Short mmCIF file of all heavy atoms in Angstrom, two decimals:
data_model
loop_
_atom_site.label_atom_id
_atom_site.label_comp_id
_atom_site.label_asym_id
_atom_site.label_seq_id
_atom_site.Cartn_x
_atom_site.Cartn_y
_atom_site.Cartn_z
N ARG A 27 -7.69 0.32 3.43
CA ARG A 27 -9.18 0.33 3.66
C ARG A 27 -9.36 -0.65 4.87
O ARG A 27 -10.25 -0.48 5.70
CB ARG A 27 -9.99 -0.10 2.39
CG ARG A 27 -11.46 -0.38 2.79
CD ARG A 27 -12.07 0.98 2.91
NE ARG A 27 -13.63 0.70 3.12
CZ ARG A 27 -14.24 1.17 4.17
NH1 ARG A 27 -13.73 1.95 4.94
NH2 ARG A 27 -15.56 0.80 4.09
N MET A 28 -8.59 -1.78 4.90
CA MET A 28 -8.81 -2.91 5.94
C MET A 28 -8.47 -2.22 7.32
O MET A 28 -9.02 -2.54 8.32
CB MET A 28 -7.99 -3.97 5.58
CG MET A 28 -8.16 -5.13 6.68
SD MET A 28 -9.73 -5.97 6.61
CE MET A 28 -9.68 -6.92 5.24
N SER A 29 -7.51 -1.44 7.23
CA SER A 29 -7.08 -0.75 8.60
C SER A 29 -8.26 0.09 9.16
O SER A 29 -8.33 0.16 10.37
CB SER A 29 -5.78 0.14 8.36
OG SER A 29 -6.12 1.40 7.72
N GLU A 30 -8.86 0.80 8.23
CA GLU A 30 -10.20 1.60 8.79
C GLU A 30 -11.21 0.80 9.35
O GLU A 30 -11.77 0.92 10.29
CB GLU A 30 -10.52 2.36 7.50
CG GLU A 30 -11.65 3.39 7.99
CD GLU A 30 -11.38 4.45 8.89
OE1 GLU A 30 -10.18 4.72 9.07
OE2 GLU A 30 -12.23 4.82 9.65
N LEU A 31 -11.46 -0.31 8.58
CA LEU A 31 -12.39 -1.32 9.16
C LEU A 31 -11.88 -2.02 10.34
O LEU A 31 -12.81 -2.16 11.31
CB LEU A 31 -12.66 -2.48 7.99
CG LEU A 31 -13.22 -2.10 6.69
CD1 LEU A 31 -13.29 -3.12 5.71
CD2 LEU A 31 -14.61 -1.42 6.90
N LYS A 32 -10.73 -2.25 10.63
CA LYS A 32 -10.20 -2.79 11.95
C LYS A 32 -10.34 -1.79 12.86
O LYS A 32 -10.62 -2.05 14.15
CB LYS A 32 -8.83 -3.23 11.61
CG LYS A 32 -8.54 -4.36 10.91
CD LYS A 32 -9.16 -5.66 11.48
CE LYS A 32 -8.95 -6.90 10.71
NZ LYS A 32 -9.64 -8.17 11.23
N LYS A 33 -9.98 -0.50 12.60
CA LYS A 33 -10.30 0.64 13.58
C LYS A 33 -11.66 0.82 14.07
O LYS A 33 -11.85 0.92 15.34
CB LYS A 33 -9.69 1.96 12.97
CG LYS A 33 -9.72 3.15 13.81
CD LYS A 33 -9.17 4.41 13.16
CE LYS A 33 -9.17 5.51 14.08
NZ LYS A 33 -8.75 6.72 13.37
N LYS A 34 -12.56 0.66 13.12
CA LYS A 34 -14.01 0.83 13.53
C LYS A 34 -14.43 -0.31 14.44
O LYS A 34 -15.34 -0.32 15.28
CB LYS A 34 -14.87 0.82 12.32
CG LYS A 34 -14.90 2.12 11.60
CD LYS A 34 -15.77 2.19 10.37
CE LYS A 34 -15.65 3.45 9.65
NZ LYS A 34 -16.46 3.53 8.45
N ALA A 35 -13.77 -1.49 14.32
CA ALA A 35 -14.12 -2.73 15.09
C ALA A 35 -13.31 -2.82 16.37
O ALA A 35 -13.57 -3.63 17.19
CB ALA A 35 -13.73 -4.04 14.43
N GLY A 36 -12.55 -1.76 16.57
CA GLY A 36 -11.75 -1.60 17.81
C GLY A 36 -10.53 -2.43 18.00
O GLY A 36 -10.00 -2.70 19.05
N HIS A 37 -9.98 -2.87 16.85
CA HIS A 37 -8.71 -3.63 16.87
C HIS A 37 -7.47 -2.70 16.40
O HIS A 37 -6.97 -2.59 15.29
CB HIS A 37 -8.79 -4.77 15.80
CG HIS A 37 -9.81 -5.68 16.09
ND1 HIS A 37 -9.78 -6.59 17.02
CD2 HIS A 37 -11.05 -5.82 15.38
CE1 HIS A 37 -10.90 -7.29 17.02
NE2 HIS A 37 -11.73 -6.96 16.09
N ASP A 38 -7.16 -1.87 17.38
CA ASP A 38 -6.17 -0.80 17.12
C ASP A 38 -4.82 -1.36 16.61
O ASP A 38 -4.16 -0.70 15.88
CB ASP A 38 -5.94 0.12 18.40
CG ASP A 38 -7.23 0.94 18.62
OD1 ASP A 38 -8.03 1.12 17.70
OD2 ASP A 38 -7.51 1.34 19.77
N LYS A 39 -4.37 -2.35 17.17
CA LYS A 39 -3.02 -2.91 16.86
C LYS A 39 -3.02 -3.39 15.45
O LYS A 39 -2.05 -3.15 14.68
CB LYS A 39 -2.54 -4.14 17.77
CG LYS A 39 -2.16 -3.62 19.09
CD LYS A 39 -1.61 -4.62 19.92
CE LYS A 39 -1.17 -4.34 21.31
NZ LYS A 39 -0.63 -5.29 22.21
N GLU A 40 -4.10 -4.10 15.08
CA GLU A 40 -4.21 -4.71 13.73
C GLU A 40 -4.45 -3.38 12.79
O GLU A 40 -3.73 -3.47 11.64
CB GLU A 40 -5.44 -5.51 13.56
CG GLU A 40 -5.21 -6.88 14.23
CD GLU A 40 -6.29 -7.83 14.16
OE1 GLU A 40 -6.93 -7.77 12.94
OE2 GLU A 40 -6.71 -8.47 15.21
N CYS A 41 -5.10 -2.46 13.15
CA CYS A 41 -5.37 -1.24 12.31
C CYS A 41 -3.96 -0.65 11.97
O CYS A 41 -3.70 -0.22 10.85
CB CYS A 41 -6.24 -0.24 13.12
SG CYS A 41 -6.19 1.44 12.48
N CYS A 42 -3.13 -0.39 12.95
CA CYS A 42 -1.89 0.28 12.70
C CYS A 42 -0.97 -0.59 11.77
O CYS A 42 -0.35 -0.05 10.93
CB CYS A 42 -1.16 0.39 14.16
SG CYS A 42 0.31 1.49 13.90
N PHE A 43 -0.93 -1.93 11.98
CA PHE A 43 -0.18 -2.76 11.14
C PHE A 43 -0.60 -2.68 9.72
O PHE A 43 0.19 -2.48 8.70
CB PHE A 43 -0.24 -4.25 11.64
CG PHE A 43 0.53 -5.24 10.80
CD1 PHE A 43 1.86 -5.31 10.73
CD2 PHE A 43 -0.27 -6.06 9.99
CE1 PHE A 43 2.46 -6.17 9.87
CE2 PHE A 43 0.31 -6.89 9.05
CZ PHE A 43 1.76 -7.03 9.12
N TYR A 44 -1.90 -2.97 9.42
CA TYR A 44 -2.42 -2.83 8.16
C TYR A 44 -2.22 -1.49 7.45
O TYR A 44 -1.96 -1.37 6.28
CB TYR A 44 -4.02 -3.14 8.04
CG TYR A 44 -4.30 -4.49 8.27
CD1 TYR A 44 -5.26 -4.94 9.25
CD2 TYR A 44 -3.87 -5.50 7.37
CE1 TYR A 44 -5.62 -6.22 9.51
CE2 TYR A 44 -4.22 -6.93 7.63
CZ TYR A 44 -5.06 -7.19 8.61
OH TYR A 44 -5.36 -8.57 8.76
N TYR A 45 -2.33 -0.34 8.14
CA TYR A 45 -2.22 0.96 7.58
C TYR A 45 -0.68 1.19 7.19
O TYR A 45 -0.48 1.61 6.15
CB TYR A 45 -2.60 2.03 8.66
CG TYR A 45 -2.41 3.33 8.18
CD1 TYR A 45 -3.35 3.90 7.32
CD2 TYR A 45 -1.41 4.25 8.55
CE1 TYR A 45 -3.19 5.12 6.84
CE2 TYR A 45 -1.24 5.49 8.08
CZ TYR A 45 -2.21 6.00 7.17
OH TYR A 45 -2.13 7.21 6.73
N ILE A 46 0.33 0.79 8.01
CA ILE A 46 1.66 0.92 7.74
C ILE A 46 2.08 0.05 6.52
O ILE A 46 2.77 0.54 5.59
CB ILE A 46 2.58 0.69 9.06
CG1 ILE A 46 2.41 1.72 9.99
CG2 ILE A 46 4.06 0.47 8.47
CD1 ILE A 46 2.93 1.41 11.34
N CYS A 47 1.59 -1.17 6.43
CA CYS A 47 1.97 -2.05 5.32
C CYS A 47 1.31 -1.53 4.04
O CYS A 47 1.86 -1.58 3.05
CB CYS A 47 1.58 -3.38 5.66
SG CYS A 47 2.43 -4.40 6.85
N GLY A 48 0.07 -1.00 4.25
CA GLY A 48 -0.60 -0.55 3.04
C GLY A 48 0.00 0.71 2.38
O GLY A 48 0.15 0.89 1.16
N MET A 49 0.50 1.71 3.36
CA MET A 49 1.05 2.82 2.90
C MET A 49 2.40 2.58 2.31
O MET A 49 2.80 3.09 1.21
CB MET A 49 1.19 3.85 4.11
CG MET A 49 -0.09 4.46 4.52
SD MET A 49 -0.97 5.42 3.30
CE MET A 49 -0.04 6.86 3.53
N PHE A 50 3.26 1.61 2.85
CA PHE A 50 4.58 1.11 2.25
C PHE A 50 4.28 0.75 0.87
O PHE A 50 4.98 1.05 -0.03
CB PHE A 50 5.24 0.27 3.23
CG PHE A 50 6.39 -0.33 2.72
CD1 PHE A 50 7.55 0.60 2.83
CD2 PHE A 50 6.60 -1.57 2.28
CE1 PHE A 50 8.94 0.05 2.43
CE2 PHE A 50 7.78 -2.02 1.80
CZ PHE A 50 8.85 -1.20 1.90
N MET A 51 3.28 -0.16 0.64
CA MET A 51 3.11 -0.81 -0.55
C MET A 51 2.55 0.25 -1.63
O MET A 51 2.97 0.12 -2.78
CB MET A 51 2.10 -1.92 -0.43
CG MET A 51 2.74 -3.11 0.26
SD MET A 51 1.55 -4.51 0.73
CE MET A 51 1.66 -5.44 -0.98
N ASN A 52 1.66 1.15 -1.17
CA ASN A 52 0.92 1.95 -2.17
C ASN A 52 1.90 3.15 -2.45
O ASN A 52 1.76 3.68 -3.61
CB ASN A 52 -0.30 2.37 -1.59
CG ASN A 52 -1.37 3.01 -2.58
OD1 ASN A 52 -1.24 2.63 -3.73
ND2 ASN A 52 -2.07 3.92 -2.07
N ILE A 53 2.67 3.63 -1.48
CA ILE A 53 3.42 4.89 -1.85
C ILE A 53 4.84 4.67 -2.15
O ILE A 53 5.38 5.37 -2.90
CB ILE A 53 3.44 5.67 -0.40
CG1 ILE A 53 2.02 6.25 -0.25
CG2 ILE A 53 4.44 6.87 -0.64
CD1 ILE A 53 1.76 7.13 1.09
N LEU A 54 5.35 3.44 -1.75
CA LEU A 54 6.83 3.26 -2.09
C LEU A 54 7.05 2.09 -3.13
O LEU A 54 7.60 2.38 -4.13
CB LEU A 54 7.62 2.95 -0.79
CG LEU A 54 9.02 2.92 -1.03
CD1 LEU A 54 9.79 4.14 -1.47
CD2 LEU A 54 9.70 2.38 0.32
N LEU A 55 6.64 0.92 -2.70
CA LEU A 55 6.85 -0.34 -3.53
C LEU A 55 6.17 -0.24 -4.90
O LEU A 55 6.91 -0.37 -5.98
CB LEU A 55 6.47 -1.63 -2.86
CG LEU A 55 7.34 -1.95 -1.67
CD1 LEU A 55 6.92 -3.41 -1.20
CD2 LEU A 55 8.88 -2.09 -2.08
N GLY A 56 4.87 0.09 -5.04
CA GLY A 56 4.12 0.06 -6.26
C GLY A 56 4.85 1.18 -7.18
O GLY A 56 5.04 0.77 -8.39
N PRO A 57 4.86 2.42 -6.75
CA PRO A 57 5.39 3.38 -7.74
C PRO A 57 6.91 3.17 -8.05
O PRO A 57 7.32 3.45 -9.19
CB PRO A 57 5.40 4.72 -6.88
CG PRO A 57 4.27 4.42 -5.98
CD PRO A 57 4.35 3.00 -5.56
N LEU A 58 7.63 2.55 -7.16
CA LEU A 58 9.03 2.25 -7.54
C LEU A 58 9.14 1.20 -8.64
O LEU A 58 9.93 1.32 -9.64
CB LEU A 58 9.90 1.68 -6.25
CG LEU A 58 11.34 1.39 -6.52
CD1 LEU A 58 12.13 2.54 -6.88
CD2 LEU A 58 11.84 0.77 -5.28
N LEU A 59 8.27 0.19 -8.66
CA LEU A 59 8.27 -0.70 -9.67
C LEU A 59 7.78 -0.25 -10.98
O LEU A 59 8.14 -0.54 -12.10
CB LEU A 59 7.46 -2.07 -9.31
CG LEU A 59 8.10 -2.92 -8.17
CD1 LEU A 59 7.25 -3.95 -7.65
CD2 LEU A 59 9.45 -3.47 -8.83
N ASP A 60 6.76 0.70 -10.88
CA ASP A 60 6.18 1.40 -12.09
C ASP A 60 7.35 2.16 -12.84
O ASP A 60 7.42 2.01 -13.92
CB ASP A 60 5.08 2.36 -11.68
CG ASP A 60 3.80 1.64 -11.30
OD1 ASP A 60 3.70 0.53 -11.61
OD2 ASP A 60 2.85 2.30 -10.78
N VAL A 61 8.09 2.93 -11.94
CA VAL A 61 9.19 3.83 -12.56
C VAL A 61 10.22 2.85 -13.21
O VAL A 61 10.60 3.05 -14.33
CB VAL A 61 9.73 4.72 -11.55
CG1 VAL A 61 11.12 5.27 -12.04
CG2 VAL A 61 8.80 5.80 -11.08
N CYS A 62 10.48 1.72 -12.56
CA CYS A 62 11.48 0.79 -13.13
C CYS A 62 10.87 0.26 -14.45
O CYS A 62 11.67 0.02 -15.46
CB CYS A 62 11.76 -0.29 -12.14
SG CYS A 62 12.76 0.17 -10.75
N GLY A 63 9.67 0.00 -14.47
CA GLY A 63 8.98 -0.50 -15.74
C GLY A 63 9.29 0.32 -16.93
O GLY A 63 9.46 -0.13 -18.05
N TYR A 64 9.07 1.74 -16.64
CA TYR A 64 9.28 2.68 -17.75
C TYR A 64 10.74 2.74 -18.26
O TYR A 64 10.97 3.22 -19.27
CB TYR A 64 8.87 4.01 -17.17
CG TYR A 64 7.28 4.26 -17.24
CD1 TYR A 64 6.69 4.23 -16.06
CD2 TYR A 64 6.73 4.60 -18.52
CE1 TYR A 64 5.22 4.31 -15.92
CE2 TYR A 64 5.30 4.84 -18.47
CZ TYR A 64 4.67 4.54 -17.22
OH TYR A 64 3.31 4.78 -17.25
N ALA A 65 11.59 2.24 -17.49
CA ALA A 65 13.08 2.13 -17.98
C ALA A 65 13.22 1.05 -19.21
O ALA A 65 14.13 0.95 -19.84
CB ALA A 65 14.00 1.86 -16.81
N PHE A 66 12.32 0.10 -18.99
CA PHE A 66 12.51 -1.00 -19.94
C PHE A 66 11.51 -1.07 -21.02
O PHE A 66 11.72 -1.75 -22.05
CB PHE A 66 12.26 -2.41 -19.13
CG PHE A 66 13.36 -2.75 -18.13
CD1 PHE A 66 13.33 -2.47 -16.87
CD2 PHE A 66 14.39 -3.38 -18.72
CE1 PHE A 66 14.39 -2.75 -15.99
CE2 PHE A 66 15.54 -3.52 -17.85
CZ PHE A 66 15.40 -3.32 -16.48
N ALA A 67 10.39 -0.31 -20.99
CA ALA A 67 9.35 -0.29 -21.96
C ALA A 67 9.01 1.10 -22.27
O ALA A 67 8.91 1.85 -21.32
CB ALA A 67 8.15 -1.30 -21.53
N PRO A 68 8.44 1.38 -23.48
CA PRO A 68 7.98 2.60 -23.82
C PRO A 68 6.67 2.99 -23.14
O PRO A 68 5.84 2.14 -22.85
CB PRO A 68 7.77 2.58 -25.31
CG PRO A 68 7.63 1.24 -25.76
CD PRO A 68 8.52 0.52 -24.59
N ALA A 69 6.42 4.19 -22.85
CA ALA A 69 5.28 4.74 -22.10
C ALA A 69 3.98 4.27 -22.84
O ALA A 69 2.90 4.02 -22.16
CB ALA A 69 5.28 6.20 -21.95
N ALA A 70 4.08 4.34 -24.21
CA ALA A 70 2.80 4.09 -24.88
C ALA A 70 2.43 2.56 -24.72
O ALA A 70 1.26 2.15 -24.89
CB ALA A 70 3.15 4.27 -26.53
N LEU A 71 3.32 1.78 -24.48
CA LEU A 71 2.97 0.34 -24.19
C LEU A 71 2.64 0.10 -22.71
O LEU A 71 1.59 -0.62 -22.56
CB LEU A 71 4.30 -0.48 -24.44
CG LEU A 71 3.99 -2.03 -24.16
CD1 LEU A 71 3.12 -2.63 -25.22
CD2 LEU A 71 5.48 -2.81 -24.31
N ILE A 72 3.03 0.82 -21.88
CA ILE A 72 2.71 0.76 -20.38
C ILE A 72 1.48 1.44 -19.94
O ILE A 72 0.68 0.97 -19.12
CB ILE A 72 4.03 1.00 -19.53
CG1 ILE A 72 5.14 0.08 -19.65
CG2 ILE A 72 3.66 1.18 -18.11
CD1 ILE A 72 6.31 0.46 -19.05
#
């Protein structure tokens, strides 16, 4: 979302950086840790 706000403000370099970092965290890191969590605890708890 911050990348979109930076894009509207004309800060294209910052926009790209925020977007790439955000996608990496939201699509790769977050779900990877979620899946790892299911290996240690039952789904009913998580």
Side-chain angles (χ1 to χ4, degrees):
R27 176 67 178 139
M28 182 65 76
S29 75
E30 183 63 27
L31 296 174
K32 292 292 182 180
K33 183 178 181 181
K34 287 181 181 180
H37 302 287
D38 291 336
K39 287 183 181 179
E40 290 178 39
C41 165
C42 187
F43 174 75
Y44 284 125
Y45 184 76
I46 291 171
C47 289
M49 292 297 278
F50 179 73
M51 293 173 85
N52 195 33
I53 292 176
L54 186 65
L55 288 181
L58 181 65
L59 288 171
D60 286 346
V61 169
C62 290
Y64 282 99
F66 291 97
L71 180 64
I72 292 176

